[in-house]
Amino acid sequence: MSETKVIIGLEVHIQLTNLNTKLFCGCNSDYRGKEQNTLVCPICLGLPGSLPVLNEKAIEFATRLALALNCKINEEFWFFRKNYFYPDLPKAFQISQYNKAGGKAFGDGGTIKIRLDGEKKEINLDRIHLEEDPAKLVHKGSIASSPYTLVDYNRSGISLIEIVSQPVMKSPEEAREFLNQLKSIIQYTEIADLNLEGSVRVDANISIEGNPRSEVKNINSFKEVERALKWEIQRQRNAIKRGKELIQETRHWDDKRRITIGLRTKEFEKDYRYFPEQDLVPINIDGKYVENIKKNLPEMPDQRMKRIQEQYGLSEFDSEILVLDKNIADFFEEGVKEIEVLGQEGFKLFCNWLMGDISRWLNENNKNINETQLQPHQISKLIEYIDKGKITGKIAKSFINDMMKGIPVEEILEKTGKQRIADEKTLSKIIDDVFQENPEIVKDYKRNPRALEALIGKCMQKTRGQADPNITRNLILEKIK
Ligand SMILES: [Zn+2]
């Protein structure tokens, strides 16, 4: 099978978790961990006679995101009813926006810049729009085999923003980068905390060029998207290879079994019988309002990247990775205030520690930097100690676990008693011992110069990482002759 072209489009639903109330009623929107069906009122339960009232703050948040994504904001629009019959929708319709039949999205167009394998690319958006979240359905076991379904209306009416990309992504990796950048932008606009469980849902449209597409629904985390896409692409390729005809259908991502399952053939838009929501007045957003929000918009990752590059003399690549997580970038800017002594070199060292050992620790422990006790000044101290020759880089690395608990570097140093050994006499003695204990490695060096690394490693082991690597290297080279 030669490389057939893959076409991917994403519809990303984001809960505006930083809003206090729901989209069309005053119910508390902080529903996580609350007793089921307690944060409800006649409006979000869809009781007859109840009337929705728009949450003005939701318009502000949507405006912030539209500005950050460079969408063209539609200054006048109606909400629409999207009709479908399902237990998560007590009204049997969802209040949403519609960009046809005289309707408009909240914002049209827009772009997200990504970088993959060193290449930059702009992913164009189709639109963003506001809508309400349906209630939460709780299945016992898997959706396919559950004997019953429970409904929690606490989630009913929560504000969602849907971000629809154009079908222009060519690989699951591109989709992953797109989502990483989107997550970053949302973090900077301060409209949502996407680390909260259930705050993100992604539907992915996937096709192999020239074939019908399938829509994979309800992928519940950004991490799952790449996996679901890879699986679905393989399924479609296999079907084509076997001469099976693909159909346009909706599939469900089963994150336990990690496969997609055909649910139903795709509804067509006309099945939703969209029509204007007459219970809400048309929305007018004037230019002044938008200007005002624009003025107060926090610095976005793109701007921050450029500023950090100039201010601290970091490379474009370093700055780009640094700003991706706002918390990491804040940590960096806080920490380097104390490292002025080393100047530019200090900034780069600080960045290296953050991007290297610290990020690795966070990944391995599945934590956000704010969920640890690590303080910016600890990293500055660490760099200072290495610079002054008190400890080696190797010793510094062994401090990280303790530093994450907030223990000051001075204390760790005292507790472990570890310090850099630079005294040539001491090192010389250690090297003699290592030579004596490992005659075969010493012999091997004649044929294989890389045996040198093994000898340095042995010295490190013997000194619990305290030997200065450069002095040790030079001494070994002198002796081995
Ligand atoms: Zn309510």
Side-chain angles (χ1 to χ4, degrees):
M1 209 65 194
S2 65
E3 273 317 283
T4 38
K5 234 169 103 185
V6 172
I7 305 161
I8 298 169
L10 297 178
E11 296 172 13
V12 186
H13 301 80
I14 302 289
Q15 282 183 343
L16 299 177
T17 62
N18 290 355
L19 288 175
N20 297 324
T21 53
K22 295 184 180 180
L23 186 53
F24 297 114
C25 65
C27 288
N28 183 352
S29 59
D30 184 15
Y31 68 88
R32 290 177 177 77
K34 302 282 158 61
E35 194 184 336
Q36 290 82 0
N37 297 308
T38 53
L39 307 177
V40 290
C41 73
I43 295 170
C44 54
L45 283 174
L47 299 185
S50 64
L51 288 172
V53 180
L54 179 62
N55 182 343
E56 195 183 340
K57 198 86 183 159
I59 296 288
E60 186 195 320
F61 278 21
T63 306
R64 275 198 225 168
L65 184 63
L67 288 168
L69 296 173
N70 281 316
C71 301
K72 184 194 151 285
I73 295 172
N74 289 311
E75 294 191 347
E76 193 183 27
F77 63 85
W78 285 92
F79 279 96
F80 270 63
R81 290 185 179 186
K82 180 182 182 179
N83 298 275
Y84 66 93
F85 191 69
Y86 208 58
D88 61 5
L89 267 188
K91 305 192 290 284
F93 62 84
Q94 177 190 28
I95 306 180
S96 181
Q97 291 186 257
Y98 190 51
N99 62 346
K100 291 169 196 155
K104 281 175 184 155
F106 189 90
D108 290 315
T111 51
I112 291 182
K113 289 181 200 135
I114 62 164
R115 185 202 284 268
L116 191 64
D117 303 326
E119 258 176 71
K120 288 186 196 172
K121 184 176 172 181
E122 284 195 355
I123 306 290
N124 289 326
L125 303 177
D126 185 75
R127 64 185 186 275
I128 68 169
H129 72 240
L130 272 169
E131 64 186 22
E132 56 178 343
D133 209 352
K136 187 176 179 184
L137 297 181
V138 183
H139 307 281
K140 187 172 181 282
S142 92
I143 189 172
S145 62
S146 181
Y148 57 79
T149 301
L150 301 168
V151 195
D152 180 6
Y153 287 102
N154 284 354
R155 203 183 74 182
S156 171
I158 296 281
S159 308
L160 291 182
I161 279 194
E162 182 173 345
I163 298 119
V164 184
S165 85
Q166 288 184 2
V168 289
M169 283 169 266
K170 296 195 174 81
S171 68
E173 292 77 16
E174 269 190 25
R176 179 194 64 213
E177 287 311 304
F178 172 83
L179 293 172
N180 283 343
Q181 293 300 333
L182 176 61
K183 185 176 179 186
S184 175
I185 290 165
I186 285 172
Q187 188 188 23
Y188 277 82
T189 52
E190 294 168 357
I191 58 175
D193 176 1
L194 300 188
N195 291 318
L196 291 175
E197 181 274 326
S199 57
V200 168
R201 262 152 283 151
V202 181
D203 300 338
N205 287 297
I206 310 151
S207 62
I208 309 288
E209 198 177 29
N211 293 280
R213 67 189 157 96
S214 61
E215 185 179 13
V216 179
K217 284 260 188 201
N218 284 317
I219 310 169
N220 288 326
S221 79
F222 280 178
K223 277 188 186 154
E224 288 287 303
V225 173
E226 189 181 4
R227 197 177 277 146
L229 286 171
K230 281 186 173 158
W231 198 91
E232 180 59 17
I233 289 165
Q234 199 53 49
R235 186 192 71 83
Q236 293 187 11
R237 285 213 162 119
N238 288 345
I240 294 167
K241 216 190 302 188
R242 288 197 217 102
K244 248 174 87 179
E245 203 174 318
L246 289 164
I247 49 164
Q248 185 176 337
E249 62 177 341
T250 300
R251 300 181 68 85
H252 173 80
W253 172 244
D254 184 331
D255 57 1
K256 296 205 177 65
R257 292 195 285 163
R258 292 184 174 164
I259 56 172
T260 65
I261 309 160
L263 276 187
R264 52 183 186 250
T265 50
K266 166 93 181 135
E267 303 93 344
F268 291 92
E269 239 171 30
K270 66 176 194 312
D271 297 332
Y272 290 126
R273 292 174 294 119
Y274 277 100
F275 59 85
E277 168 57 278
Q278 300 286 344
D279 288 342
L280 287 161
V281 295
I283 312 300
N284 286 293
I285 301 172
D286 66 35
K288 235 180 167 171
Y289 174 85
V290 174
E291 253 336 286
N292 199 29
I293 290 175
K294 198 174 188 173
K295 260 203 311 237
N296 294 306
L297 204 63
E299 187 181 37
M300 286 296 123
D302 227 25
Q303 301 164 310
R304 191 173 200 180
M305 192 263 282
K306 292 195 183 95
R307 179 176 60 76
I308 280 188
Q309 212 183 323
E310 279 172 24
Q311 193 171 339
Y312 305 105
L314 296 179
S315 70
E316 186 183 351
F317 181 77
D318 280 343
S319 336
E320 235 175 50
I321 302 177
L322 199 60
V323 300
L324 193 63
D325 179 350
K326 182 174 181 294
N327 295 329
I328 294 267
D330 290 348
F331 189 98
F332 171 81
E333 295 213 76
E334 184 60 39
V336 291
K337 278 185 203 157
E338 299 178 32
I339 209 163
E340 307 278 358
V341 270
L342 281 173
Q344 199 123 315
E345 198 196 340
F347 303 150
K348 172 73 180 146
L349 287 169
F350 201 105
C351 175
N352 288 350
W353 275 100
L354 268 184
M355 298 296 95
D357 290 87
I358 303 299
S359 290
R360 202 170 307 126
W361 190 96
L362 294 171
N363 275 336
E364 280 166 11
N365 292 277
N366 204 10
K367 280 212 160 89
N368 200 302
I369 198 156
N370 289 17
E371 294 167 327
T372 73
Q373 303 296 315
L374 184 69
Q375 299 300 319
H377 65 80
Q378 288 173 287
I379 305 278
S380 313
K381 197 89 206 163
L382 200 69
I383 293 169
E384 194 192 308
Y385 277 8
I386 299 169
D387 182 59
K388 286 189 181 150
K390 272 193 177 169
I391 56 173
T392 61
K394 190 116 180 169
I395 296 176
K397 281 176 201 282
S398 75
F399 284 6
I400 287 178
N401 263 327
D402 279 339
M403 286 167 65
M404 290 297 186
K405 295 178 199 147
I407 307 176
V409 178
E410 301 89 312
E411 219 171 280
I412 305 171
L413 193 66
E414 207 168 298
K415 191 180 81 179
T416 57
K418 283 185 179 174
Q419 52 179 316
R420 171 170 163 267
I421 304 172
D423 177 52
E424 294 204 1
K425 255 191 204 147
T426 315
L427 285 175
S428 187
K429 171 85 184 56
I430 291 161
I431 292 166
D432 288 344
D433 289 350
V434 165
F435 277 20
Q436 213 155 38
E437 287 158 23
N438 303 282
E440 66 294 345
I441 305 183
V442 179
K443 225 162 100 192
D444 188 36
Y445 176 76
K446 292 204 177 73
R447 288 177 291 114
N448 175 18
R450 274 173 36 208
L452 175 66
E453 302 304 324
L455 290 169
I456 298 173
K458 292 281 177 197
C459 293
M460 286 296 173
Q461 246 174 35
K462 246 188 161 36
T463 58
R464 295 189 302 146
Q466 297 178 97
D468 182 286
N470 290 328
I471 302 177
T472 307
R473 175 184 299 264
N474 291 337
L475 283 175
I476 292 179
L477 281 172
E478 265 173 42
K479 279 174 189 281
I480 211 156
K481 280 173 195 156

PDB file of all heavy atoms in Angstrom, residues 197-219:
ATOM      1  N   GLU A 197     -11.049  16.832  34.568  1.00  0.00           N
ATOM      2  CA  GLU A 197     -11.642  15.659  33.942  1.00  0.00           C
ATOM      3  C   GLU A 197     -12.923  16.057  33.200  1.00  0.00           C
ATOM      4  O   GLU A 197     -13.752  16.793  33.739  1.00  0.00           O
ATOM      5  CB  GLU A 197     -11.935  14.624  35.048  1.00  0.00           C
ATOM      6  CG  GLU A 197     -12.542  13.318  34.598  1.00  0.00           C
ATOM      7  CD  GLU A 197     -14.055  13.375  34.492  1.00  0.00           C
ATOM      8  OE1 GLU A 197     -14.667  14.082  35.306  1.00  0.00           O
ATOM      9  OE2 GLU A 197     -14.606  12.745  33.566  1.00  0.00           O
ATOM     10  N   GLY A 198     -13.063  15.584  31.971  1.00  0.00           N
ATOM     11  CA  GLY A 198     -14.295  15.825  31.230  1.00  0.00           C
ATOM     12  C   GLY A 198     -14.422  17.209  30.617  1.00  0.00           C
ATOM     13  O   GLY A 198     -15.464  17.550  30.070  1.00  0.00           O
ATOM     14  N   SER A 199     -13.356  18.028  30.682  1.00  0.00           N
ATOM     15  CA  SER A 199     -13.469  19.387  30.147  1.00  0.00           C
ATOM     16  C   SER A 199     -13.248  19.445  28.637  1.00  0.00           C
ATOM     17  O   SER A 199     -13.441  20.479  28.021  1.00  0.00           O
ATOM     18  CB  SER A 199     -12.474  20.314  30.849  1.00  0.00           C
ATOM     19  OG  SER A 199     -11.162  19.818  30.709  1.00  0.00           O
ATOM     20  N   VAL A 200     -12.853  18.316  28.064  1.00  0.00           N
ATOM     21  CA  VAL A 200     -12.527  18.284  26.641  1.00  0.00           C
ATOM     22  C   VAL A 200     -13.191  17.086  25.976  1.00  0.00           C
ATOM     23  O   VAL A 200     -13.162  15.995  26.527  1.00  0.00           O
ATOM     24  CB  VAL A 200     -10.996  18.101  26.476  1.00  0.00           C
ATOM     25  CG1 VAL A 200     -10.644  17.760  25.044  1.00  0.00           C
ATOM     26  CG2 VAL A 200     -10.257  19.325  26.928  1.00  0.00           C
ATOM     27  N   ARG A 201     -13.806  17.301  24.843  1.00  0.00           N
ATOM     28  CA  ARG A 201     -14.270  16.174  24.036  1.00  0.00           C
ATOM     29  C   ARG A 201     -13.949  16.453  22.574  1.00  0.00           C
ATOM     30  O   ARG A 201     -14.141  17.581  22.108  1.00  0.00           O
ATOM     31  CB  ARG A 201     -15.780  15.968  24.176  1.00  0.00           C
ATOM     32  CG  ARG A 201     -16.156  14.889  25.184  1.00  0.00           C
ATOM     33  CD  ARG A 201     -17.512  15.156  25.782  1.00  0.00           C
ATOM     34  NE  ARG A 201     -17.430  16.205  26.796  1.00  0.00           N
ATOM     35  CZ  ARG A 201     -18.432  17.020  27.091  1.00  0.00           C
ATOM     36  NH1 ARG A 201     -19.561  16.968  26.425  1.00  0.00           N
ATOM     37  NH2 ARG A 201     -18.292  17.938  28.044  1.00  0.00           N
ATOM     38  N   VAL A 202     -13.447  15.477  21.898  1.00  0.00           N
ATOM     39  CA  VAL A 202     -13.049  15.695  20.513  1.00  0.00           C
ATOM     40  C   VAL A 202     -13.782  14.715  19.606  1.00  0.00           C
ATOM     41  O   VAL A 202     -13.892  13.531  19.920  1.00  0.00           O
ATOM     42  CB  VAL A 202     -11.523  15.494  20.350  1.00  0.00           C
ATOM     43  CG1 VAL A 202     -11.100  15.752  18.911  1.00  0.00           C
ATOM     44  CG2 VAL A 202     -10.749  16.410  21.295  1.00  0.00           C
ATOM     45  N   ASP A 203     -14.325  15.233  18.511  1.00  0.00           N
ATOM     46  CA  ASP A 203     -14.838  14.382  17.443  1.00  0.00           C
ATOM     47  C   ASP A 203     -13.880  14.543  16.282  1.00  0.00           C
ATOM     48  O   ASP A 203     -13.466  15.657  15.965  1.00  0.00           O
ATOM     49  CB  ASP A 203     -16.233  14.827  16.987  1.00  0.00           C
ATOM     50  CG  ASP A 203     -17.265  14.772  18.118  1.00  0.00           C
ATOM     51  OD1 ASP A 203     -17.028  14.030  19.088  1.00  0.00           O
ATOM     52  OD2 ASP A 203     -18.286  15.477  18.014  1.00  0.00           O
ATOM     53  N   ALA A 204     -13.515  13.426  15.663  1.00  0.00           N
ATOM     54  CA  ALA A 204     -12.551  13.503  14.571  1.00  0.00           C
ATOM     55  C   ALA A 204     -13.150  12.949  13.286  1.00  0.00           C
ATOM     56  O   ALA A 204     -13.738  11.865  13.291  1.00  0.00           O
ATOM     57  CB  ALA A 204     -11.293  12.720  14.940  1.00  0.00           C
ATOM     58  N   ASN A 205     -13.032  13.716  12.225  1.00  0.00           N
ATOM     59  CA  ASN A 205     -13.429  13.230  10.902  1.00  0.00           C
ATOM     60  C   ASN A 205     -12.190  12.710  10.201  1.00  0.00           C
ATOM     61  O   ASN A 205     -11.195  13.425  10.090  1.00  0.00           O
ATOM     62  CB  ASN A 205     -14.034  14.362  10.069  1.00  0.00           C
ATOM     63  CG  ASN A 205     -15.418  14.719  10.569  1.00  0.00           C
ATOM     64  OD1 ASN A 205     -16.317  13.893  10.528  1.00  0.00           O
ATOM     65  ND2 ASN A 205     -15.569  15.926  11.077  1.00  0.00           N
ATOM     66  N   ILE A 206     -12.277  11.465   9.751  1.00  0.00           N
ATOM     67  CA  ILE A 206     -11.097  10.852   9.157  1.00  0.00           C
ATOM     68  C   ILE A 206     -11.483  10.167   7.857  1.00  0.00           C
ATOM     69  O   ILE A 206     -12.475   9.441   7.796  1.00  0.00           O
ATOM     70  CB  ILE A 206     -10.514   9.757  10.083  1.00  0.00           C
ATOM     71  CG1 ILE A 206     -10.359  10.299  11.493  1.00  0.00           C
ATOM     72  CG2 ILE A 206      -9.188   9.236   9.554  1.00  0.00           C
ATOM     73  CD1 ILE A 206     -10.473   9.215  12.531  1.00  0.00           C
ATOM     74  N   SER A 207     -10.674  10.397   6.833  1.00  0.00           N
ATOM     75  CA  SER A 207     -10.890   9.624   5.613  1.00  0.00           C
ATOM     76  C   SER A 207      -9.574   9.409   4.897  1.00  0.00           C
ATOM     77  O   SER A 207      -8.590  10.106   5.135  1.00  0.00           O
ATOM     78  CB  SER A 207     -11.881  10.339   4.691  1.00  0.00           C
ATOM     79  OG  SER A 207     -11.352  11.594   4.312  1.00  0.00           O
ATOM     80  N   ILE A 208      -9.583   8.397   4.047  1.00  0.00           N
ATOM     81  CA  ILE A 208      -8.475   8.173   3.139  1.00  0.00           C
ATOM     82  C   ILE A 208      -8.951   8.762   1.818  1.00  0.00           C
ATOM     83  O   ILE A 208     -10.071   8.475   1.384  1.00  0.00           O
ATOM     84  CB  ILE A 208      -8.213   6.657   2.954  1.00  0.00           C
ATOM     85  CG1 ILE A 208      -8.093   5.946   4.305  1.00  0.00           C
ATOM     86  CG2 ILE A 208      -7.015   6.425   2.061  1.00  0.00           C
ATOM     87  CD1 ILE A 208      -6.852   6.208   5.092  1.00  0.00           C
ATOM     88  N   GLU A 209      -8.130   9.604   1.220  1.00  0.00           N
ATOM     89  CA  GLU A 209      -8.563  10.364   0.036  1.00  0.00           C
ATOM     90  C   GLU A 209      -9.333   9.490  -0.959  1.00  0.00           C
ATOM     91  O   GLU A 209      -8.900   8.396  -1.302  1.00  0.00           O
ATOM     92  CB  GLU A 209      -7.354  10.970  -0.658  1.00  0.00           C
ATOM     93  CG  GLU A 209      -7.723  12.089  -1.604  1.00  0.00           C
ATOM     94  CD  GLU A 209      -6.508  12.741  -2.234  1.00  0.00           C
ATOM     95  OE1 GLU A 209      -5.494  12.044  -2.386  1.00  0.00           O
ATOM     96  OE2 GLU A 209      -6.588  13.931  -2.562  1.00  0.00           O
ATOM     97  N   GLY A 210     -10.479   9.995  -1.398  1.00  0.00           N
ATOM     98  CA  GLY A 210     -11.282   9.284  -2.375  1.00  0.00           C
ATOM     99  C   GLY A 210     -12.291   8.326  -1.758  1.00  0.00           C
ATOM    100  O   GLY A 210     -13.042   7.659  -2.475  1.00  0.00           O
ATOM    101  N   ASN A 211     -12.337   8.251  -0.437  1.00  0.00           N
ATOM    102  CA  ASN A 211     -13.263   7.345   0.242  1.00  0.00           C
ATOM    103  C   ASN A 211     -14.150   8.119   1.206  1.00  0.00           C
ATOM    104  O   ASN A 211     -13.804   9.222   1.625  1.00  0.00           O
ATOM    105  CB  ASN A 211     -12.480   6.285   1.032  1.00  0.00           C
ATOM    106  CG  ASN A 211     -11.721   5.353   0.112  1.00  0.00           C
ATOM    107  OD1 ASN A 211     -12.266   4.430  -0.454  1.00  0.00           O
ATOM    108  ND2 ASN A 211     -10.433   5.641  -0.047  1.00  0.00           N
ATOM    109  N   PRO A 212     -15.310   7.525   1.586  1.00  0.00           N
ATOM    110  CA  PRO A 212     -16.171   8.227   2.547  1.00  0.00           C
ATOM    111  C   PRO A 212     -15.476   8.360   3.894  1.00  0.00           C
ATOM    112  O   PRO A 212     -14.609   7.551   4.238  1.00  0.00           O
ATOM    113  CB  PRO A 212     -17.393   7.310   2.680  1.00  0.00           C
ATOM    114  CG  PRO A 212     -17.257   6.265   1.651  1.00  0.00           C
ATOM    115  CD  PRO A 212     -15.839   6.216   1.195  1.00  0.00           C
ATOM    116  N   ARG A 213     -15.886   9.370   4.652  1.00  0.00           N
ATOM    117  CA  ARG A 213     -15.217   9.603   5.926  1.00  0.00           C
ATOM    118  C   ARG A 213     -16.017   8.982   7.063  1.00  0.00           C
ATOM    119  O   ARG A 213     -17.227   8.788   6.971  1.00  0.00           O
ATOM    120  CB  ARG A 213     -15.055  11.098   6.171  1.00  0.00           C
ATOM    121  CG  ARG A 213     -16.345  11.846   6.399  1.00  0.00           C
ATOM    122  CD  ARG A 213     -16.104  13.353   6.406  1.00  0.00           C
ATOM    123  NE  ARG A 213     -17.316  14.080   6.098  1.00  0.00           N
ATOM    124  CZ  ARG A 213     -18.133  14.578   7.021  1.00  0.00           C
ATOM    125  NH1 ARG A 213     -17.888  14.377   8.302  1.00  0.00           N
ATOM    126  NH2 ARG A 213     -19.204  15.249   6.672  1.00  0.00           N
ATOM    127  N   SER A 214     -15.337   8.707   8.149  1.00  0.00           N
ATOM    128  CA  SER A 214     -16.054   8.329   9.360  1.00  0.00           C
ATOM    129  C   SER A 214     -15.809   9.408  10.397  1.00  0.00           C
ATOM    130  O   SER A 214     -14.804  10.116  10.356  1.00  0.00           O
ATOM    131  CB  SER A 214     -15.598   6.961   9.870  1.00  0.00           C
ATOM    132  OG  SER A 214     -14.236   6.999  10.191  1.00  0.00           O
ATOM    133  N   GLU A 215     -16.766   9.528  11.301  1.00  0.00           N
ATOM    134  CA  GLU A 215     -16.621  10.505  12.376  1.00  0.00           C
ATOM    135  C   GLU A 215     -16.481   9.729  13.679  1.00  0.00           C
ATOM    136  O   GLU A 215     -17.387   8.994  14.068  1.00  0.00           O
ATOM    137  CB  GLU A 215     -17.848  11.421  12.425  1.00  0.00           C
ATOM    138  CG  GLU A 215     -17.678  12.519  13.464  1.00  0.00           C
ATOM    139  CD  GLU A 215     -18.881  13.475  13.536  1.00  0.00           C
ATOM    140  OE1 GLU A 215     -19.941  13.152  12.970  1.00  0.00           O
ATOM    141  OE2 GLU A 215     -18.741  14.528  14.158  1.00  0.00           O
ATOM    142  N   VAL A 216     -15.328   9.873  14.319  1.00  0.00           N
ATOM    143  CA  VAL A 216     -15.117   9.188  15.595  1.00  0.00           C
ATOM    144  C   VAL A 216     -15.506  10.144  16.710  1.00  0.00           C
ATOM    145  O   VAL A 216     -14.955  11.233  16.830  1.00  0.00           O
ATOM    146  CB  VAL A 216     -13.653   8.720  15.752  1.00  0.00           C
ATOM    147  CG1 VAL A 216     -13.457   8.040  17.101  1.00  0.00           C
ATOM    148  CG2 VAL A 216     -13.279   7.771  14.622  1.00  0.00           C
ATOM    149  N   LYS A 217     -16.489   9.722  17.499  1.00  0.00           N
ATOM    150  CA  LYS A 217     -17.102  10.604  18.494  1.00  0.00           C
ATOM    151  C   LYS A 217     -16.515  10.396  19.876  1.00  0.00           C
ATOM    152  O   LYS A 217     -16.091   9.292  20.223  1.00  0.00           O
ATOM    153  CB  LYS A 217     -18.596  10.278  18.573  1.00  0.00           C
ATOM    154  CG  LYS A 217     -19.388  10.833  17.406  1.00  0.00           C
ATOM    155  CD  LYS A 217     -20.065  12.114  17.838  1.00  0.00           C
ATOM    156  CE  LYS A 217     -21.023  12.615  16.758  1.00  0.00           C
ATOM    157  NZ  LYS A 217     -21.271  14.042  16.941  1.00  0.00           N
ATOM    158  N   ASN A 218     -16.595  11.470  20.657  1.00  0.00           N
ATOM    159  CA  ASN A 218     -16.375  11.363  22.100  1.00  0.00           C
ATOM    160  C   ASN A 218     -15.027  10.828  22.532  1.00  0.00           C
ATOM    161  O   ASN A 218     -14.935   9.948  23.378  1.00  0.00           O
ATOM    162  CB  ASN A 218     -17.467  10.516  22.735  1.00  0.00           C
ATOM    163  CG  ASN A 218     -18.748  11.325  22.850  1.00  0.00           C
ATOM    164  OD1 ASN A 218     -18.708  12.493  23.227  1.00  0.00           O
ATOM    165  ND2 ASN A 218     -19.840  10.715  22.491  1.00  0.00           N
ATOM    166  N   ILE A 219     -13.998  11.357  21.929  1.00  0.00           N
ATOM    167  CA  ILE A 219     -12.671  11.048  22.424  1.00  0.00           C
ATOM    168  C   ILE A 219     -12.468  12.004  23.597  1.00  0.00           C
ATOM    169  O   ILE A 219     -12.557  13.222  23.425  1.00  0.00           O
ATOM    170  CB  ILE A 219     -11.609  11.263  21.327  1.00  0.00           C
ATOM    171  CG1 ILE A 219     -12.053  10.549  20.043  1.00  0.00           C
ATOM    172  CG2 ILE A 219     -10.260  10.760  21.798  1.00  0.00           C
ATOM    173  CD1 ILE A 219     -11.234  10.896  18.827  1.00  0.00           C
TER     174      ILE A 219
END
